[in-house]
Amino acid sequence: MRIHNLYVDEKGETHFREIEIEWKNEGPGGKTSATFPATGIIFRETPGTYDYSWHPAPRRQYIINLDGAVEITASDGEKRVIGPGEVFLVEDTHGKGHFSKAVEGKMRRSIFVPIE
């Protein structure tokens, strides 16, 4: 399983990369990864008018899109549309940050899983 990762380099620029989640166990119920630490869960509903200018992430966290999509622009100029069912890990808690906006004017429901 691959997830998106938004991280910041030593110059404060944000970039995307992919992280491969490795399977630790496999059985009749499917495959599972190792347990990752988390400190809670936040449910979020974002309006279709969402257009949030440059900002760093408030904390390291996984974001799991349930429905809708979000377009994220890293400070290096790369844009990605993160769609329903996709997971991304934001780690750009300092530096130039990223730009986020709704896709096609649609509301998005997501889950934030803080890891700090």
Side-chain angles (χ1 to χ4, degrees):
M1 173 185 288
R2 286 194 177 135
I3 65 171
H4 305 273
N5 177 222
L6 185 63
Y7 69 97
V8 63
D9 68 18
E10 64 282 344
K11 295 179 184 176
E13 291 287 345
T14 55
H15 309 277
F16 282 106
R17 64 183 165 200
E18 299 289 321
I19 295 176
E20 184 74 31
I21 303 297
E22 295 183 24
W23 305 121
K24 183 168 175 89
N25 300 300
E26 186 172 357
K31 299 176 184 178
T32 58
S33 71
T35 300
F36 289 82
T39 60
I41 186 169
I42 301 165
F43 295 90
R44 182 177 186 190
E45 187 173 272
T46 309
T49 56
Y50 183 66
D51 191 2
Y52 193 11
S53 192
W54 295 101
H55 62 285
R59 69 192 75 76
R60 289 180 66 231
Q61 61 190 358
Y62 291 96
I63 301 174
I64 305 158
N65 277 351
L66 300 175
D67 59 12
V70 62
E71 181 183 271
I72 305 289
T73 305
S75 67
D76 69 3
E78 183 179 354
K79 291 182 182 184
R80 289 193 183 185
V81 174
I82 313 293
E86 292 190 270
V87 178
F88 61 113
L89 171 60
V90 292
E91 297 184 290
D92 64 329
T93 58
H94 62 280
K96 297 179 181 178
H98 60 278
F99 188 98
S100 308
K101 71 179 202 172
V103 175
E104 298 177 352
K106 294 181 181 175
M107 181 193 63
R108 174 175 57 107
R109 291 182 188 95
S110 57
I111 295 174
F112 289 8
V113 182
I115 55 177
E116 292 184 336

